[in-house]
Amino acid sequence: MSISEINNDIPLFANDTIIFGVLCVILAGIFYTSTLKSFGKFYKYIPALLLCYFIPSVFSSLGIIADKWIDVQATIAHLNTLYGNLEGVTDLASLKAYITTNNIDSSVYAQFSGGSKLYYVSSRFLLPASLVLLTISIDLKGVFKLGPKALIMFLTATFGVMIGGPLAIVFFKFVAPDILVQVEGTELWKGLSTVAGSWIGGGANQLAMKEQWEVSDSLFSIMAVVDVLVAEVWMAFLLLGVAKSDAIDRWFKADNSSITNLKNKMEKFTLESARVPSFNDLIILLGIAFGVTSIGHIIGDNLGGYIAENVPFLVDFGLGSSFFWLIISATTVGIFLSFTKAKSYEGAGASKIGTVFIYILVASIGMKMNLNAIVENISLFAIGFVWMIIHVGLLFLIAKIIKAPYFFLAVGSKANIGGAASAPVVAGAFHPSLAPVGVLLAVLGYALGTYGAFFCAIMMKWVS
């Protein structure tokens, strides 16, 4: 674990069992208060999903919980024993600066660092399980009837990322040229190319850019922090917009009838098939969800590894990622089950259980965002935020022109910036039945990610 990835001293609670309990209590508190009349006006403007994301980030920023951490005082004492001359190194910021300046290998302080596994468990176990449960009753014909505007907004989001990076560099060449300097001894545009890879595709595309432009591990780690935090700030605004989606659609003059019809059809099916779930129902649902998840891991681990080793050119399409195949497998099996009698388990609460899993994932994502990190890397974050503003501005412009519903804007954006881990969350915020739309668009992001990021990097090089 690189020191640049760490933004917390050892938190108050460093045990995952306790952290998981804290996140569950946060979720319970949010949804309990959302049922109270006294909070009615508050939740009218602030969606519960946003709080499920934001409150864990506040807890992380305050040092109560953390995604990654290091015992600052123990590390300082250890390094002082090894190297001496640690005068002035008293806190996390100065410790990170000392380690970076002296190029100290992470193995030297690894024993004092730690991290939570909750995001890994949520994204690798609960996310695919939720996709199975959410797609088990999917109306595939209804999804296809959503029309071409979803694809147009997705491609607009991709193009927005591609031109946003170069335009952000041009902007700062005139406004604040001092921040466009080499970082970690590497040209800035090379580091930013990894952000482009992540924002258009995902982790595999991000790593492809790292190798393509020979980005150092230390710079890559810094850019990963910029990538995650800027993307999560945007996700917070997207979720805030869900509560205002009807008003935004009116401003766009958008026809969202296809989305409404699909939601109504799914709600009608759920009500008509609803029953009090028995013990057998719940066990069978868990067996289906996690059984398919295990199959997805088998396929992902073997197929992803095989492609990376034997068909390396497909890695450029993101097909060498085991996570990609895990999500594809879970979604595909879920769609297949929607044509069988398994669809009846929606009445026993399949989508409700899937939604619970999604909210746990949201809370674990929120825990990864430490607001203090923005201050520590303010110049790089400034570039990232301007880049994101260009991306968002283009999305709103095109949505206004083609009269696309806010749903397509939000999901098209997160299918790029966030991929398969975030797009279903945003889509599901509108209605659980819409989560698969996010997955389908995210798949396109994996395919386009490396190519889009490569051209973005070339343009950033030209303007630098």
Side-chain angles (χ1 to χ4, degrees), residues 147-156 441 444:
K149 289 182 179 179
L151 182 60
I152 292 172
M153 293 309 300
F154 167 80
L155 293 175
T156 298
L441 290 177
L444 293 178

Side-chain angles (χ1 to χ4, degrees), residues 23 38 43 48 66-67 76 134 151 181 202 224 230 282 284 315 355 360 374 410 437 459:
L23 294 180
S38 54
Y43 283 103
D67 178 57
I76 291 174
L134 292 171
L151 182 60
V181 296
V230 174
L282 297 176
I284 291 170
V315 173
T355 303
I360 294 173
I374 297 177
V437 178
M459 288 188 285

Side-chain angles (χ1 to χ4, degrees), residues 25 286 300:
V25 169
L286 292 178

Side-chain angles (χ1 to χ4, degrees), residues 102-182:
N102 292 278
N103 199 27
I104 297 174
D105 190 83
S106 59
S107 60
V108 175
Y109 54 85
Q111 59 184 309
F112 304 106
S113 61
S116 170
K117 301 295 184 184
L118 290 181
Y119 174 73
Y120 179 85
V121 171
S122 299
S123 61
R124 267 59 177 182
F125 292 85
L126 299 185
L127 174 59
S130 70
L131 292 175
V132 175
L133 295 173
L134 292 171
T135 55
I136 204 171
S137 60
I138 187 175
D139 177 9
L140 204 56
K141 290 182 180 179
V143 171
F144 289 137
K145 287 180 180 177
L146 292 177
K149 289 182 179 179
L151 182 60
I152 292 172
M153 293 309 300
F154 167 80
L155 293 175
T156 298
T158 301
F159 185 69
V161 174
M162 289 176 62
I163 66 169
L167 290 177
I169 290 177
V170 170
F171 174 81
F172 281 103
K173 282 183 74 172
F174 291 98
V175 175
D178 291 343
I179 72 172
L180 298 177
V181 296
Q182 289 192 354

Side-chain angles (χ1 to χ4, degrees), residues 8 19 32 46 61 66 93 170 198 207 224 278 406 462:
N8 283 86
I19 295 173
Y32 173 72
I46 307 296
S61 303
V170 170
S198 175
L207 289 171
S278 66
Y406 177 70
W462 287 342

Side-chain angles (χ1 to χ4, degrees), residues 2-124:
S2 171
I3 190 65
S4 58
E5 298 178 71
I6 301 173
N7 295 299
N8 283 86
D9 196 344
I10 186 168
L12 179 63
F13 301 121
N15 185 312
D16 265 345
T17 55
I18 299 175
I19 295 173
F20 181 71
V22 170
L23 294 180
C24 287
V25 169
I26 290 172
L27 293 175
I30 292 169
F31 285 99
Y32 173 72
T33 55
S34 69
T35 64
L36 302 178
K37 289 184 178 179
S38 54
F39 283 83
K41 288 186 178 180
F42 176 79
Y43 283 103
K44 181 180 179 181
Y45 299 101
I46 307 296
L49 181 58
L50 174 60
L51 294 181
C52 296
Y53 174 82
F54 182 71
I55 293 179
S57 74
V58 173
F59 273 49
S60 178
S61 303
L62 294 175
I64 300 172
I65 57 178
D67 178 57
K68 296 175 182 177
W69 62 80
I70 189 168
D71 188 332
V72 172
Q73 296 307 317
T75 306
I76 291 174
H78 179 65
L79 295 180
N80 195 46
T81 302
L82 293 177
Y83 308 110
N85 192 30
L86 262 75
E87 293 181 10
V89 180
T90 58
D91 55 16
L92 178 60
S94 57
L95 175 62
K96 290 175 68 173
Y98 177 85
I99 291 174
T100 302
T101 302
N102 292 278
N103 199 27
I104 297 174
D105 190 83
S106 59
S107 60
V108 175
Y109 54 85
Q111 59 184 309
F112 304 106
S113 61
S116 170
K117 301 295 184 184
L118 290 181
Y119 174 73
Y120 179 85
V121 171
S122 299
S123 61
R124 267 59 177 182

